[in-house]
């Protein structure tokens, strides 16, 4: 048994909160020695006061006085995006858990790998944008990339110890979101509140909208492609409204292995931290007889274009996945602000993809540039929408 010393990037979000719960429930296996937040200084101070990491980082420097006034002990305090990288490079750390929304997590994730730490990835953007670079550097440096996204954590568990040539398909399950049964016509009039009302998972706003458009699953297809080094054509999506089977692997002999548990992010976080071992916890055990039934259905590709767009980006590779990701972030923001109807998210992303020039084998700079251009392209299309 080995205790892992963990840096938690994104301590105040929904994954971060779950990670703190896990650390509290298995203190003999997990110690949080550093944590960060974007701008919520008060919540960061609360979390730090309880967990007592030796270093904290606040990205938004203007909130620093709040953090200082609320801390009841004296950890090292880092600030800004550079602070995240410094924190990720700290010595005496085994694992960096990246649970930062959006693309801010990419540079600290690479810093963690470069400084020889294992990486637990909850922010799928990191692998969608730069999966090729991240996985190659991890191999070079001999560190492990452990998936925290529930689907990928499930596949990781099913794949363990199995040679690659025995794997036929990775099957990502999707709840289908709140609009699983709606027609294209009905989708054009759904509201922000409707979209934020996810049937099975409690998550942040951005990812909840992504679950409604199915872009979340699309991003996960690309994430799986890099994490498990499987072409995106062998990554399939299966709608499973109960979110109990978190994903499956189909093997060449026709057998399927699946991982099941209640939908609580504490399960995948704990497994990423204690891997390759399993330890008991106080989480709710799964009683299938009480659930009675689990349902599965094919996704509706025509009604939810996100899956097709993600497959296209995953097949093309290069900078196109970064374009899809960035365009979607801006489009989701516009939807959340009530500026565009729900289906416009898909067409804005498609437009940005059509506009972009794809670079194969991109550098990190190429990727960040494609990201910026995609954001501009969506903002421009949005300003035309308003005319
Ligand atoms: Mg997921």
């Amino acid at each position: 048994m080995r205790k892992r010393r963990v840096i938690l990037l994104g301590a105040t979000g929904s994954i971060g909160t779950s990670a703190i719960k896990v650390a509290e429930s298995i203190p003999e296996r997990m110690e949080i020695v550093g944590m960060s937040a974007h701008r919520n200084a008060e919540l960061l101070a609360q979390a730090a006061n309880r967990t007592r990491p030796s270093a904290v980082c606040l990205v938004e420097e203007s909130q620093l006085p709040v953090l200082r006034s609320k801390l009841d002990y004296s950890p090292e305090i880092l600030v800004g995006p550079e602070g995240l990288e410094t924190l990720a490079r700290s010595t005496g750390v085994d694992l960096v858990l990246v649970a930062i929304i959006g693309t801010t997590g990419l540079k600290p994730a690479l810093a963690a790998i470069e400084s020889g730490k294992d990486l637990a990835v909850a922010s799928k953007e990191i692998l969608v944008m730069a999966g090729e670079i991240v996985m190659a550097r991890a191999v070079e440096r001999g560190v492990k990339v452990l998936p925290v996204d529930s689907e990928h954590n499930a596949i990781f568990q099913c794949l363990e110890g199995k040679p690659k040539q025995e794997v036929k398909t990775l099957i990502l399950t999707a709840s289908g979101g709140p609009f699983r049964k709606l027609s294209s016509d009905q989708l054009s009039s759904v509201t922000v509140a409707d979209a934020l009302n996810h049937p099975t998972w409690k998550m942040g706003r951005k990812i909840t909208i992504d679950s409604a458009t199915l872009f979340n699953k699309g991003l996960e297809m690309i994430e799986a492609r890099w994490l498990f080094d499987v072409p995106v054509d062998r990554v399939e999506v299966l709608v499973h409204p109960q979110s109990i089977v978190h994903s499956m692997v189909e093997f060449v002999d026709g057998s399927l292995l699946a991982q099941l548990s209640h939908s609580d992010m504490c399960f995948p976080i704990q497994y990423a931290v204690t891997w390759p071992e399993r330890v008991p916890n106080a989480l709710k055990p799964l009683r299938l007889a009480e659930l009675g039934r689990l349902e599965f259905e094919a996704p509706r590709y025509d009604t939810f274009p996100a899956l097709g767009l993600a497959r296209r980006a995953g097949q093309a590779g290069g900078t196109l996945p970064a374009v899809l990701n960035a365009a979607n972030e801006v489009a989701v923001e516009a939807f959340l602000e009530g500026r565009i109807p729900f289906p416009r998210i898909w067409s804005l992303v498609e437009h940005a993809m059509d506009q972009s020039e794809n670079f194969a084998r991109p550098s990190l700079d190429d990727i960040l540039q494609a990201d910026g251009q995609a954001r501009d392209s969506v903002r421009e299309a949005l300003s035309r929408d308003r005319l």
Side-chain angles (χ1 to χ4, degrees):
M1 290 246 293
R2 185 160 77 92
K3 184 195 273 188
R4 305 209 87 195
R5 293 163 55 89
V6 178
I7 300 268
L8 172 58
L9 301 183
T12 55
S14 87
I15 304 274
T17 310
S18 296
I20 293 170
K21 261 182 25 200
V22 172
E24 287 170 347
S25 85
I26 52 165
E28 69 293 348
R29 299 302 302 252
M30 178 178 180
E31 181 187 357
I32 296 177
V33 296
M35 57 168 64
S36 80
H38 193 72
R39 72 165 63 85
N40 198 332
E42 190 156 348
L43 261 187
L44 176 62
Q46 270 174 30
N49 288 340
R50 228 173 65 206
T51 318
R52 306 200 90 74
S54 51
V56 297
C57 175
L58 187 63
V59 177
E60 187 66 59
E61 212 170 334
S62 63
Q63 297 302 302
L64 197 56
V66 181
L67 177 66
R68 286 195 198 280
S69 72
K70 300 282 175 182
L71 281 169
D72 64 12
Y73 72 116
S74 310
E76 180 187 355
I77 297 176
L78 300 158
V79 288
E82 314 76 33
L84 291 176
E85 287 181 59
T86 310
L87 193 58
R89 288 181 199 275
S90 318
T91 51
V93 171
D94 304 299
L95 178 73
V96 176
L97 169 51
V98 187
I100 299 178
I101 299 179
T103 50
T104 328
L106 183 54
K107 283 184 174 170
L110 290 169
I113 292 173
E114 270 161 32
S115 59
K117 295 172 189 74
D118 287 343
L119 192 68
V121 183
S123 315
K124 58 196 66 164
E125 293 84 0
I126 293 171
L127 291 163
V128 170
M129 290 177 74
E132 195 171 6
I133 294 175
V134 168
M135 297 309 286
R137 293 204 186 158
V139 170
E140 266 166 42
R141 200 62 186 78
V143 301
K144 193 86 190 162
V145 178
L146 298 149
V148 170
D149 206 349
S150 61
E151 293 77 2
H152 304 76
N153 191 270
I155 289 172
F156 181 70
Q157 295 189 41
C158 297
L159 281 176
E160 232 163 329
K162 313 287 189 302
K164 230 180 123 178
Q165 66 272 19
E166 293 181 2
V167 176
K168 190 171 176 200
T169 332
L170 307 182
I171 304 169
L172 294 169
T173 52
S175 70
F179 306 144
R180 180 168 61 94
K181 290 186 181 297
L182 300 195
S183 66
S184 295
D185 268 1
Q186 291 170 311
L187 283 169
S188 34
S189 55
V190 297
T191 65
V192 173
D194 296 334
L196 285 174
N197 186 20
H198 194 274
T200 51
W201 287 97
K202 270 201 170 19
M203 306 174 290
R205 284 158 65 90
K206 156 76 168 51
I207 188 172
T208 304
I209 301 303
D210 286 346
S211 297
T213 57
L214 292 196
F215 265 122
N216 183 51
K217 212 49 55 183
L219 295 170
E220 288 179 355
M221 289 164 67
I222 303 170
E223 188 186 4
R225 185 258 170 276
W226 291 115
L227 266 172
F228 306 114
D229 192 21
V230 165
V232 80
D233 293 324
R234 282 165 50 204
V235 181
E236 285 175 10
V237 173
L238 177 67
V239 174
H240 166 45
Q242 291 83 12
S243 302
I244 294 291
V245 176
H246 295 301
S247 275
M248 306 180 224
V249 175
E250 182 188 17
F251 291 90
V252 288
D253 63 355
S255 284
L256 266 70
L257 293 190
Q259 184 265 337
L260 290 73
S261 71
H262 285 292
S263 43
D264 181 334
M265 287 307 292
C266 289
F267 287 103
I269 293 167
Q270 174 175 324
Y271 191 70
V273 171
T274 66
W275 175 86
E277 292 165 19
R278 294 181 187 274
V279 297
N281 56 32
L283 296 171
K284 191 178 170 196
L286 185 60
R287 299 285 173 255
L288 288 173
E290 284 167 22
L291 290 173
R293 59 191 296 170
L294 298 175
E295 297 160 301
F296 301 95
E297 61 195 44
R300 294 186 296 150
Y301 290 95
D302 293 341
T303 318
F304 293 88
L307 296 177
L309 291 170
R311 195 173 291 285
R312 177 179 145 200
Q315 281 165 343
T319 46
L320 201 59
V323 169
L324 173 138
N325 175 63
N328 179 51
E329 272 188 36
V330 180
V332 168
E333 225 166 90
F335 173 71
L336 282 170
E337 286 164 6
R339 291 164 58 196
I340 54 170
F342 184 78
R344 183 75 178 120
I345 301 174
W346 294 311
S347 59
L348 283 168
V349 173
E350 184 169 20
H351 172 76
M353 286 171 67
D354 290 344
Q355 295 283 304
S356 80
E357 189 188 342
N358 196 17
F359 291 95
R361 303 213 151 255
S363 67
L364 195 56
D365 282 344
D366 295 333
I367 289 169
L368 294 173
Q369 200 179 342
D371 174 286
Q373 283 169 352
R375 285 169 203 271
D376 290 345
S377 147
V378 174
R379 287 193 192 109
E380 211 177 287
L382 281 167
S383 61
R384 279 199 305 273
D385 276 8
R386 255 178 304 172
L387 297 176

